[in-house]
């Protein structure tokens, strides 16, 4: 019997778990990526098809020739619209192009929130300094000026006054590919996230998780943990608001990544998208529920029943922490490979290094400066945090 064929959009470090899971399932993987680099998943893929995953026309043209049974991505937004186009045109399982476009446009997303009573920050779409002045007249500082088409912390600037807001607009318009962006009220509260999964219009779970952030030009997520320590009222609000936001964007047959904030006892949705979150969030879902989450994602994409994996979940959840390894003071060229010199045990789920001898190390500003990542599990947050500190204390690297 011929194996199922899965096109994976992206071949970077964030997709490693997806390729590994598909391989273990006997699924033939095709890496969709640009030809001008050598991403880490190239060696894991069964085939490579060079394409610009940000270009839906290019991806669809190539996908039609590949005889695929499914298309998937994880941990990045770049290929979301292309994924939706391929799902629509080839009648595959996954998000629609209409939904993917909303996920990739913060302005369209916020409008959908507003139209469906999803609690979110007040915002205005702006194209010019004049538009910004009109919006600021209706808002209070601080505000956030955001590109609508970038992911992570890119193109997001917090501004405390009029001058800073106009400078932020200039900075955003230099990096966005669109002729507009948004300005929204800054909600000062507890930032956190949630992962969810939708299959046949049923939300199987909403898993809140804590976020650890690092303040650069904006707040950058550098770590996550489960479970989220909060009261039952907040958990109920998260569940209800995430489900409402999923419905507002018509997300279906996909993993879902959600950014939220809690202020004065109210839960606000910042944004969400139809793929699993980055920086080891799939691994935390696996720890929390005791499931093979990457395989669940692959299974759905190729038209098989993901409930096979969901039904194997554990009744008792474990705690887990995932965190980036970053440099706050060292910069230069790695003089040797990074290494872990401590003891290993079953609670250390993952230690990965993304930089190697000869690579440039920069003081951390955004996720592109990540040196590696560590995932640990245990019976409590305190136990996990202690283990994480031990691992970090036993990682060695030197720069010239």
């Amino acid at each position: 019997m011929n194996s199922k064929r899965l096109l994976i959009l992206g071949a970077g470090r964030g997709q490693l778990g997806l390729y590994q899971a598909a391989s273990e399932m006997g699924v033939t993987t095709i890496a969709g990526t640009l030809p001008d680099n050598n991403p880490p998943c190239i060696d894991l893929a069964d085939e490579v098809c060079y394409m610009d995953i940000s270009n839906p026309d290019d991806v669809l043209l190539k996908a039609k020739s590949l005889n695929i049974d499914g298309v998937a991505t994880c941990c990045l937004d770049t290929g979301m619209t292309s994924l939706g186009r391929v799902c629509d045109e080839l009648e595959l399982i996954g998000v629609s192009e209409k939904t993917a476009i909303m996920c990739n446009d913060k302005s369209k997303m916020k409008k959908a929130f507003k139209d469906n009573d999803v609690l979110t920050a007040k915002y205005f779409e702006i194209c010019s300094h004049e538009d910004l002045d009109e919006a600021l007249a209706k808002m209070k500082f601080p505000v956030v000026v955001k590109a609508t088409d970038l992911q992570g912390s890119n193109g997001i600037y917090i501004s405390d006054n009029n001058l800073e807001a106009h400078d932020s607009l200039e900075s955003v318009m230099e990096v966005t590919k669109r002729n507009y962006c948004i300005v929204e009220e800054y909600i000062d509260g507890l930032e956190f996230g949630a992962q969810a999964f939708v299959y046949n219009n049923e939300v199987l779970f909403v898993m809140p998780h804590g976020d650890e952030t690092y303040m650069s030009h904006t707040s950058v997520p550098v770590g996550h943990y489960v479970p989220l320590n909060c009261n039952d009222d907040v958990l109920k609000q998260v569940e209800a608001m995430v489900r409402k936001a999923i419905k507002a964007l018509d997300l279906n047959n996909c993993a879902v990544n959600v950014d939220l904030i809690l202020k004065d006892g109210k839960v606000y949705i910042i944004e969400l998208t139809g793929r699993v979150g980055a920086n080891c969030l799939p691994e935390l879902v696996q720890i929390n529920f005791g499931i093979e989450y990457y395989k669940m994602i692959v299974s759905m994409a190729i038209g098989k029943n993901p409930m096979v994996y969901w039904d194997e979940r554990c009744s008792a959840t474990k705690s887990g922490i995932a965190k980036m390894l970053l440099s706050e003071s060292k910069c230069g060229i790695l003089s040797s490979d990074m290494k872990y010199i401590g003891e290993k045990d079953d609670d250390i789920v993952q230690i990965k290094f993304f930089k190697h001898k000869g690579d440039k190390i920069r003081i951390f500003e955004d996720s592109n400066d990540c040196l590696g990542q560590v995932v640990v599990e245990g019976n409590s947050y305190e136990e996990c945090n202690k283990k994480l500190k031990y691992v970090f204390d036993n990682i060695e690297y030197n720069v010239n």
Side-chain angles (χ1 to χ4, degrees):
M1 181 185 294
N2 293 331
S3 69
K4 294 282 188 176
R5 294 172 56 81
L6 177 67
L7 171 61
I8 298 179
L9 301 183
R13 61 181 175 85
Q15 288 78 53
L16 282 166
L18 202 59
Y19 282 90
Q20 290 166 346
S23 177
E24 291 173 8
M25 296 168 68
V27 174
T28 298
T29 56
I30 306 138
T33 186
L34 290 170
D36 57 353
N37 55 20
N38 186 32
C41 292
I42 289 293
D43 292 338
L44 295 177
D46 297 296
E47 301 173 21
V48 178
C49 182
Y50 292 119
M51 61 181 69
D52 178 359
I53 67 170
S54 69
N55 184 331
D57 293 330
D58 184 37
V59 174
L60 178 61
L61 180 65
K62 304 289 176 56
K64 285 180 176 179
S65 68
L66 294 173
N67 190 31
I68 58 174
D69 298 288
V71 58
T73 192
C74 68
C75 305
L76 86 166
D77 296 327
T78 310
M80 282 301 300
T81 302
S82 298
L83 187 149
R85 174 79 61 86
V86 171
C87 286
D88 285 353
E89 294 294 329
L90 302 188
E91 298 182 344
L92 300 175
I93 303 296
V95 299
S96 68
E97 184 177 8
K98 179 181 178 182
T99 291
I101 288 171
M102 284 192 287
C103 289
N104 271 353
D105 189 321
K106 292 179 175 67
S107 184
K108 289 182 172 63
M109 182 188 301
K110 298 276 281 189
K111 184 179 186 304
F113 289 167
K114 184 178 178 181
D115 291 344
N116 289 273
D117 297 321
V118 176
L119 196 58
T120 192
K122 181 180 181 181
Y123 84 104
F124 296 92
E125 183 178 299
I126 56 176
C127 301
S128 64
H129 288 282
E130 290 76 17
D131 289 345
L132 178 57
D133 281 330
E134 289 183 17
L136 293 177
K138 303 170 186 175
M139 306 176 75
K140 293 180 179 180
F141 287 105
V143 298
V144 186
V145 183
K146 287 184 178 181
T148 65
D149 58 339
L150 301 180
Q151 57 184 313
S153 58
N154 296 316
I156 301 177
Y157 296 89
I158 300 171
S159 305
D160 291 317
N161 55 55
N162 194 282
L163 178 61
E164 287 184 6
H166 282 275
D167 287 344
S168 295
L169 176 59
E170 292 285 343
S171 297
V172 168
M173 297 310 288
E174 286 178 2
V175 295
T176 183
K177 294 180 180 178
R178 298 187 175 130
N179 64 355
Y180 60 90
C181 62
I182 63 172
V183 57
E184 67 179 26
E185 65 176 335
Y186 174 72
I187 300 176
D188 186 14
L190 172 67
E191 293 187 35
F192 63 104
Q195 301 301 296
F197 193 87
V198 193
Y199 177 58
N200 285 344
N201 287 307
E202 180 185 355
V203 179
L204 298 187
F205 67 83
V206 175
M207 185 196 82
H209 54 79
D211 293 346
E212 182 178 343
T213 58
Y214 183 92
M215 183 54 69
S216 178
H217 58 82
T218 187
S219 181
V220 183
V222 295
H224 307 287
Y225 60 89
V226 290
L228 179 68
N229 183 21
C230 59
N231 62 48
D232 287 343
D233 177 65
V234 170
L235 291 176
K236 288 177 182 177
Q237 285 188 60
V238 172
E239 179 90 18
M241 202 57 63
V242 169
R243 287 177 177 272
K244 187 180 284 191
I246 286 171
K247 186 175 181 180
L249 297 190
D250 197 25
L251 285 160
N252 189 28
N253 293 325
C254 61
V256 180
N257 179 59
V258 195
D259 295 329
L260 308 102
I261 193 162
L262 175 67
K263 181 181 180 181
D264 298 332
K266 290 186 177 181
V267 172
Y268 297 78
I269 300 283
I270 300 174
E271 60 186 64
L272 75 165
T273 189
R275 49 86 179 163
V276 70
N279 300 323
C280 302
L281 281 166
E283 284 79 4
L284 289 184
V285 173
Q286 294 187 160
I287 289 170
N288 187 75
F289 292 113
I291 59 173
E292 295 182 282
Y293 196 41
Y294 284 113
K295 291 184 179 180
M296 193 168 164
I297 294 169
V298 170
S299 182
M300 182 171 62
I302 60 175
K304 292 189 175 181
N305 190 352
M307 298 298 290
V308 171
Y309 297 98
W310 178 240
D311 289 344
E312 292 179 350
R313 66 192 182 277
C314 299
S315 56
T317 60
K318 294 195 74 173
S319 297
I321 301 178
K323 191 173 180 180
M324 288 184 188
L325 177 64
L326 53 89
S327 175
E328 296 186 61
S329 58
K330 292 182 181 180
C331 62
I333 305 299
L334 268 180
S335 57
S336 61
D337 282 339
M338 304 176 70
K339 59 183 178 180
Y340 173 66
I341 60 171
E343 297 181 359
K344 295 182 180 179
D345 59 44
D346 291 341
D347 289 338
I348 302 174
V349 177
Q350 182 185 112
I351 302 173
K352 284 186 178 178
F353 300 124
F354 304 131
K355 301 292 184 180
H356 305 282
K357 182 180 179 180
D359 287 344
K360 186 175 182 179
I361 300 298
R362 300 197 315 163
I363 294 174
F364 188 84
E365 290 187 1
D366 58 44
S367 58
N368 293 321
D369 300 322
C370 178
L371 308 182
Q373 62 192 25
V374 177
V375 184
V376 298
E377 67 178 21
N379 295 314
S380 68
Y381 175 83
E382 291 75 20
E383 186 178 297
C384 290
N385 205 38
K386 183 178 179 180
K387 179 67 68 173
L388 186 72
K389 183 179 185 306
Y390 172 80
V391 173
F392 273 64
D393 287 345
N394 283 279
I395 290 174
E396 288 187 350
Y397 67 97
N398 295 294
V399 297
N400 294 325

